[in-house]
Amino acid sequence: MLTADAAGYYDDVCLDVEILPGFSSSNYPLIASGNAQFASGGSFSEVVNFANANEAAFIATSVDGRSAIDTLIVKAGVATELADLADSTIGVKGKLPPSIEVMLRGAGLVEGDDFSTVLLEGFDPLAHIEQPIDGLPGWKSNEVGTLERAGVEVDLFDPLDFDVPGSFGVIFTSREFADAHPTAATDFVRATARGLADAIADPAATAQIAVDAITAGGNPNFLSPEGETFRWATEAELISEGTPSGVGYGTPDLPGLQAELDAYAEVGLFGDEPGDLDATDYVGLDVIEGIYDGDEVVW
Protein backbone atom coordinates (compact mmCIF):
# COMPACT_ATOMS: atom_id res chain seq x y z
CA MET A 1 0.00 0.00 0.00
CA LEU A 2 2.84 2.40 0.80
CA THR A 3 4.34 1.88 -2.66
CA ALA A 4 1.00 2.42 -4.38
CA ASP A 5 0.42 5.56 -2.34
CA ALA A 6 3.90 6.93 -3.05
CA ALA A 7 3.42 6.33 -6.78
CA GLY A 8 0.08 8.17 -6.78
CA TYR A 9 -1.93 5.16 -7.89
CA TYR A 10 -4.78 5.79 -5.43
CA ASP A 11 -5.02 9.37 -6.67
CA ASP A 12 -5.13 8.06 -10.24
CA VAL A 13 -8.31 6.10 -9.48
CA CYS A 14 -9.79 9.02 -7.52
CA LEU A 15 -9.46 7.46 -4.07
CA ASP A 16 -8.54 9.50 -1.00
CA VAL A 17 -6.48 7.01 1.01
CA GLU A 18 -4.94 7.58 4.45
CA ILE A 19 -2.55 4.85 5.61
CA LEU A 20 -2.14 4.36 9.37
CA PRO A 21 0.51 2.20 11.09
CA GLY A 22 -0.41 -0.77 13.27
CA PHE A 23 -0.04 -4.48 13.91
CA SER A 24 -2.36 -6.92 12.16
CA SER A 25 -4.07 -7.83 15.45
CA SER A 26 -5.17 -4.21 15.93
CA ASN A 27 -6.55 -3.97 12.39
CA TYR A 28 -9.46 -6.38 12.81
CA PRO A 29 -11.59 -4.29 15.18
CA LEU A 30 -11.02 -1.25 12.95
CA ILE A 31 -12.47 -3.05 9.93
CA ALA A 32 -15.27 -4.65 11.96
CA SER A 33 -16.34 -1.26 13.33
CA GLY A 34 -16.09 0.51 9.97
CA ASN A 35 -13.39 2.88 11.25
CA ALA A 36 -11.11 1.61 8.47
CA GLN A 37 -12.03 0.10 5.12
CA PHE A 38 -8.98 -1.99 4.19
CA ALA A 39 -6.17 -3.43 6.31
CA SER A 40 -3.41 -6.02 6.30
CA GLY A 41 -3.65 -9.39 7.99
CA GLY A 42 -0.82 -11.66 9.04
CA SER A 43 -2.17 -14.65 7.11
CA PHE A 44 -5.38 -15.91 5.57
CA SER A 45 -6.01 -18.22 8.52
CA GLU A 46 -5.53 -15.27 10.90
CA VAL A 47 -8.21 -13.32 9.01
CA VAL A 48 -10.58 -16.29 9.19
CA ASN A 49 -9.85 -16.86 12.87
CA PHE A 50 -10.62 -13.24 13.79
CA ALA A 51 -13.70 -13.27 11.58
CA ASN A 52 -15.14 -16.32 13.31
CA ALA A 53 -14.17 -15.24 16.83
CA ASN A 54 -15.86 -11.86 16.38
CA GLU A 55 -18.72 -12.82 14.05
CA ALA A 56 -17.35 -10.40 11.47
CA ALA A 57 -17.74 -10.81 7.71
CA PHE A 58 -14.12 -10.28 6.66
CA ILE A 59 -13.06 -11.07 3.10
CA ALA A 60 -9.53 -11.25 1.73
CA THR A 61 -9.09 -9.18 -1.41
CA SER A 62 -5.49 -10.21 -2.07
CA VAL A 63 -3.09 -12.78 -0.65
CA ASP A 64 0.48 -12.01 -1.65
CA GLY A 65 2.44 -14.92 -0.18
CA ARG A 66 1.50 -18.53 -0.95
CA SER A 67 3.55 -20.04 1.88
CA ALA A 68 3.93 -19.50 5.60
CA ILE A 69 6.21 -16.63 6.57
CA ASP A 70 7.32 -18.50 9.70
CA THR A 71 10.36 -20.72 10.06
CA LEU A 72 11.75 -22.69 13.00
CA ILE A 73 15.14 -21.29 14.04
CA VAL A 74 17.30 -23.91 15.78
CA LYS A 75 20.65 -23.39 17.44
CA ALA A 76 23.53 -24.74 15.38
CA GLY A 77 24.34 -28.38 16.11
CA VAL A 78 21.05 -29.18 17.86
CA ALA A 79 19.24 -30.95 15.02
CA THR A 80 19.82 -32.12 11.48
CA GLU A 81 16.23 -33.29 11.05
CA LEU A 82 12.94 -32.58 12.81
CA ALA A 83 12.99 -35.88 14.70
CA ASP A 84 16.09 -34.64 16.54
CA LEU A 85 13.90 -32.08 18.31
CA ALA A 86 12.30 -34.72 20.51
CA ASP A 87 12.70 -33.70 24.17
CA SER A 88 13.76 -30.20 23.10
CA THR A 89 12.65 -26.82 24.46
CA ILE A 90 11.31 -24.24 22.04
CA GLY A 91 10.83 -20.59 22.99
CA VAL A 92 7.63 -18.90 21.84
CA LYS A 93 6.16 -15.41 21.83
CA GLY A 94 2.68 -16.36 23.01
CA LYS A 95 2.31 -19.73 21.29
CA LEU A 96 3.63 -21.79 18.42
CA PRO A 97 2.58 -20.47 15.00
CA PRO A 98 0.18 -22.97 13.42
CA SER A 99 2.50 -23.62 10.45
CA ILE A 100 5.30 -24.65 12.83
CA GLU A 101 2.97 -26.80 14.88
CA VAL A 102 1.68 -28.58 11.76
CA MET A 103 5.27 -29.15 10.59
CA LEU A 104 6.34 -30.63 13.92
CA ARG A 105 3.24 -32.82 14.15
CA GLY A 106 4.09 -34.16 10.72
CA ALA A 107 7.31 -35.45 12.26
CA GLY A 108 5.39 -37.02 15.14
CA LEU A 109 6.25 -34.25 17.60
CA VAL A 110 3.39 -32.94 19.75
CA GLU A 111 3.79 -29.98 22.08
CA GLY A 112 3.70 -31.03 25.71
CA ASP A 113 4.27 -34.70 24.90
CA ASP A 114 7.40 -34.74 22.73
CA PHE A 115 8.83 -31.28 23.35
CA SER A 116 8.16 -28.34 25.65
CA THR A 117 7.67 -24.63 25.04
CA VAL A 118 8.59 -21.64 27.21
CA LEU A 119 7.51 -18.03 26.88
CA LEU A 120 10.03 -15.49 25.64
CA GLU A 121 10.01 -11.85 26.70
CA GLY A 122 10.31 -9.05 24.17
CA PHE A 123 11.09 -9.27 20.47
CA ASP A 124 14.89 -9.42 20.32
CA PRO A 125 16.05 -12.67 18.66
CA LEU A 126 19.65 -12.02 19.73
CA ALA A 127 18.55 -12.08 23.37
CA HIS A 128 16.24 -15.03 22.76
CA ILE A 129 18.88 -17.24 21.13
CA GLU A 130 21.03 -16.86 24.27
CA GLN A 131 18.30 -18.34 26.46
CA PRO A 132 18.39 -22.01 27.58
CA ILE A 133 16.26 -23.12 24.64
CA ASP A 134 16.95 -25.22 21.56
CA GLY A 135 15.15 -23.00 19.10
CA LEU A 136 12.36 -20.54 18.43
CA PRO A 137 9.92 -19.66 15.65
CA GLY A 138 10.57 -16.50 13.68
CA TRP A 139 9.81 -14.79 10.41
CA LYS A 140 11.97 -15.63 7.43
CA SER A 141 12.02 -11.91 6.71
CA ASN A 142 12.79 -10.67 10.21
CA GLU A 143 14.50 -12.69 12.95
CA VAL A 144 16.53 -14.69 10.43
CA GLY A 145 18.06 -11.51 9.05
CA THR A 146 18.83 -10.10 12.49
CA LEU A 147 20.71 -13.24 13.49
CA GLU A 148 22.50 -13.40 10.15
CA ARG A 149 23.72 -9.81 10.38
CA ALA A 150 25.03 -10.51 13.89
CA GLY A 151 26.95 -13.57 12.69
CA VAL A 152 24.90 -16.03 14.75
CA GLU A 153 24.87 -19.47 13.12
CA VAL A 154 21.55 -21.28 13.20
CA ASP A 155 19.73 -24.00 11.29
CA LEU A 156 16.31 -23.39 9.76
CA PHE A 157 13.36 -25.73 9.37
CA ASP A 158 11.00 -24.13 6.86
CA PRO A 159 7.36 -25.34 6.71
CA LEU A 160 7.51 -24.79 2.94
CA ASP A 161 10.09 -27.59 2.69
CA PHE A 162 7.67 -29.93 4.46
CA ASP A 163 4.65 -29.11 2.25
CA VAL A 164 2.88 -27.27 5.06
CA PRO A 165 0.38 -24.79 3.56
CA GLY A 166 0.37 -21.15 4.57
CA SER A 167 0.09 -17.55 3.46
CA PHE A 168 1.17 -14.02 4.30
CA GLY A 169 0.62 -10.47 3.13
CA VAL A 170 -3.19 -10.46 3.15
CA ILE A 171 -5.27 -7.37 2.39
CA PHE A 172 -8.83 -7.64 3.65
CA THR A 173 -12.02 -5.62 4.01
CA SER A 174 -15.56 -6.23 5.21
CA ARG A 175 -18.24 -7.77 3.05
CA GLU A 176 -20.48 -4.84 4.03
CA PHE A 177 -18.06 -2.27 2.58
CA ALA A 178 -17.37 -4.28 -0.56
CA ASP A 179 -21.09 -4.66 -1.26
CA ALA A 180 -21.86 -1.00 -0.56
CA HIS A 181 -18.92 0.38 -2.57
CA PRO A 182 -17.99 -2.20 -5.24
CA THR A 183 -16.23 0.21 -7.62
CA ALA A 184 -14.16 1.84 -4.88
CA ALA A 185 -13.24 -1.57 -3.46
CA THR A 186 -12.11 -2.90 -6.84
CA ASP A 187 -10.17 0.27 -7.65
CA PHE A 188 -8.39 0.11 -4.30
CA VAL A 189 -7.34 -3.47 -4.97
CA ARG A 190 -6.32 -2.54 -8.53
CA ALA A 191 -4.09 0.33 -7.35
CA THR A 192 -2.64 -1.79 -4.54
CA ALA A 193 -1.86 -4.60 -7.00
CA ARG A 194 -0.01 -2.19 -9.26
CA GLY A 195 1.98 -0.97 -6.27
CA LEU A 196 2.80 -4.56 -5.33
CA ALA A 197 4.14 -5.25 -8.83
CA ASP A 198 6.36 -2.16 -8.58
CA ALA A 199 7.55 -3.24 -5.13
CA ILE A 200 8.55 -6.70 -6.30
CA ALA A 201 10.35 -5.22 -9.31
CA ASP A 202 12.39 -2.87 -7.10
CA PRO A 203 12.65 -4.18 -3.50
CA ALA A 204 15.36 -1.65 -2.53
CA ALA A 205 13.23 1.34 -3.46
CA THR A 206 10.24 -0.18 -1.67
CA ALA A 207 12.27 -0.71 1.49
CA GLN A 208 13.34 2.93 1.39
CA ILE A 209 9.71 4.04 1.14
CA ALA A 210 8.96 1.97 4.25
CA VAL A 211 11.99 3.34 6.11
CA ASP A 212 10.97 6.91 5.27
CA ALA A 213 7.44 6.27 6.58
CA ILE A 214 8.78 4.62 9.73
CA THR A 215 11.16 7.52 10.38
CA ALA A 216 8.43 10.09 9.83
CA GLY A 217 6.33 8.28 12.43
CA GLY A 218 9.08 8.40 15.06
CA ASN A 219 10.05 4.72 14.67
CA PRO A 220 8.60 3.63 18.05
CA ASN A 221 9.63 0.00 17.44
CA PHE A 222 13.26 0.91 16.59
CA LEU A 223 13.18 -0.75 13.17
CA SER A 224 16.41 -0.47 11.20
CA PRO A 225 16.95 0.35 7.52
CA GLU A 226 18.97 -2.89 7.22
CA GLY A 227 16.14 -4.89 8.73
CA GLU A 228 13.49 -3.39 6.49
CA THR A 229 15.66 -3.91 3.41
CA PHE A 230 16.15 -7.57 4.33
CA ARG A 231 12.45 -7.93 5.14
CA TRP A 232 11.15 -6.73 1.81
CA ALA A 233 13.86 -8.41 -0.29
CA THR A 234 12.98 -11.72 1.39
CA GLU A 235 9.22 -11.31 1.07
CA ALA A 236 9.44 -10.09 -2.53
CA GLU A 237 11.40 -13.21 -3.45
CA LEU A 238 8.91 -15.48 -1.68
CA ILE A 239 5.98 -13.81 -3.44
CA SER A 240 7.66 -13.91 -6.85
CA GLU A 241 8.76 -17.53 -6.54
CA GLY A 242 5.42 -18.67 -5.14
CA THR A 243 3.20 -17.06 -7.78
CA PRO A 244 2.69 -19.22 -10.90
CA SER A 245 3.63 -17.83 -14.28
CA GLY A 246 0.80 -15.87 -15.88
CA VAL A 247 -0.97 -15.22 -12.55
CA GLY A 248 -1.16 -11.74 -11.05
CA TYR A 249 0.59 -11.11 -7.75
CA GLY A 250 -1.80 -11.31 -4.82
CA THR A 251 -4.40 -13.40 -6.64
CA PRO A 252 -5.86 -15.76 -4.00
CA ASP A 253 -5.08 -19.44 -4.50
CA LEU A 254 -8.35 -21.01 -3.34
CA PRO A 255 -7.12 -24.65 -3.20
CA GLY A 256 -4.04 -23.55 -1.26
CA LEU A 257 -6.09 -21.41 1.12
CA GLN A 258 -8.50 -24.29 1.71
CA ALA A 259 -5.56 -26.59 2.48
CA GLU A 260 -4.31 -24.00 4.96
CA LEU A 261 -7.67 -23.85 6.76
CA ASP A 262 -7.93 -27.65 6.89
CA ALA A 263 -4.39 -28.13 8.23
CA TYR A 264 -4.65 -25.41 10.85
CA ALA A 265 -8.10 -26.55 12.00
CA GLU A 266 -6.50 -29.88 12.91
CA VAL A 267 -4.17 -28.17 15.40
CA GLY A 268 -7.04 -26.23 17.00
CA LEU A 269 -6.45 -22.74 15.57
CA PHE A 270 -10.18 -22.19 15.07
CA GLY A 271 -11.35 -23.76 18.32
CA ASP A 272 -12.39 -27.25 19.32
CA GLU A 273 -15.41 -27.45 16.97
CA PRO A 274 -14.85 -25.06 14.04
CA GLY A 275 -17.17 -26.91 11.67
CA ASP A 276 -16.45 -27.07 7.96
CA LEU A 277 -14.58 -23.94 6.93
CA ASP A 278 -14.90 -22.98 3.26
CA ALA A 279 -12.16 -20.67 1.99
CA THR A 280 -14.48 -19.14 -0.63
CA ASP A 281 -16.60 -17.65 2.18
CA TYR A 282 -13.65 -15.47 3.20
CA VAL A 283 -12.37 -14.34 -0.22
CA GLY A 284 -13.77 -11.39 -2.14
CA LEU A 285 -13.60 -12.91 -5.61
CA ASP A 286 -16.06 -10.35 -6.96
CA VAL A 287 -13.77 -7.54 -5.77
CA ILE A 288 -10.70 -9.04 -7.42
CA GLU A 289 -12.33 -10.07 -10.70
CA GLY A 290 -11.14 -8.08 -13.68
CA ILE A 291 -8.15 -6.27 -12.16
CA TYR A 292 -5.71 -8.52 -14.05
CA ASP A 293 -5.27 -9.47 -17.68
CA GLY A 294 -3.05 -12.50 -17.19
CA ASP A 295 -0.38 -11.19 -14.85
CA GLU A 296 -0.70 -7.53 -15.88
CA VAL A 297 -2.82 -5.06 -13.90
CA VAL A 298 -5.61 -3.61 -16.03
CA TRP A 299 -5.10 0.12 -15.77
Side-chain angles (χ1 to χ4, degrees), residues 16 53 98 127 135 193 225 255 285:
D16 183 10
L285 294 176

Short mmCIF file of all heavy atoms in Angstrom, two decimals, residues 16 53 98 127 135 193 225 255 285:
data_model
loop_
_atom_site.label_atom_id
_atom_site.label_comp_id
_atom_site.label_asym_id
_atom_site.label_seq_id
_atom_site.Cartn_x
_atom_site.Cartn_y
_atom_site.Cartn_z
N ASP A 16 -9.24 8.76 -2.05
CA ASP A 16 -8.54 9.50 -1.00
C ASP A 16 -8.18 8.51 0.10
O ASP A 16 -9.04 8.10 0.88
CB ASP A 16 -9.44 10.61 -0.46
CG ASP A 16 -8.75 11.46 0.60
OD1 ASP A 16 -7.52 11.31 0.77
OD2 ASP A 16 -9.44 12.26 1.27
N ALA A 53 -14.16 -15.56 15.40
CA ALA A 53 -14.17 -15.24 16.83
C ALA A 53 -15.03 -14.02 17.12
O ALA A 53 -15.57 -13.90 18.23
CB ALA A 53 -12.75 -15.03 17.32
N PRO A 98 0.80 -21.73 13.89
CA PRO A 98 0.18 -22.97 13.42
C PRO A 98 1.00 -23.69 12.36
O PRO A 98 1.02 -24.92 12.33
CB PRO A 98 -1.18 -22.51 12.89
CG PRO A 98 -1.07 -21.04 12.73
CD PRO A 98 -0.09 -20.58 13.73
N ALA A 127 18.71 -11.74 21.95
CA ALA A 127 18.55 -12.08 23.37
C ALA A 127 17.91 -13.45 23.52
O ALA A 127 18.28 -14.24 24.39
CB ALA A 127 17.72 -11.01 24.07
N GLY A 135 15.53 -23.73 20.28
CA GLY A 135 15.15 -23.00 19.10
C GLY A 135 13.93 -22.14 19.36
O GLY A 135 13.37 -22.13 20.46
N ALA A 193 -2.52 -3.57 -6.20
CA ALA A 193 -1.86 -4.60 -7.00
C ALA A 193 -0.78 -4.00 -7.88
O ALA A 193 0.30 -4.59 -8.05
CB ALA A 193 -2.88 -5.35 -7.84
N PRO A 225 16.97 0.40 8.98
CA PRO A 225 16.95 0.35 7.52
C PRO A 225 17.43 -1.01 7.00
O PRO A 225 16.88 -1.53 6.02
CB PRO A 225 17.91 1.47 7.12
CG PRO A 225 17.86 2.43 8.26
CD PRO A 225 17.70 1.57 9.49
N PRO A 255 -7.49 -23.32 -3.72
CA PRO A 255 -7.12 -24.65 -3.20
C PRO A 255 -6.06 -24.57 -2.10
O PRO A 255 -6.14 -25.29 -1.09
CB PRO A 255 -6.61 -25.39 -4.43
CG PRO A 255 -7.27 -24.71 -5.58
CD PRO A 255 -7.34 -23.27 -5.19
N LEU A 285 -13.88 -12.66 -4.20
CA LEU A 285 -13.60 -12.91 -5.61
C LEU A 285 -14.22 -11.85 -6.51
O LEU A 285 -13.65 -11.47 -7.54
CB LEU A 285 -14.10 -14.30 -5.99
CG LEU A 285 -13.38 -15.49 -5.34
CD1 LEU A 285 -14.05 -16.79 -5.74
CD2 LEU A 285 -11.90 -15.51 -5.75
#
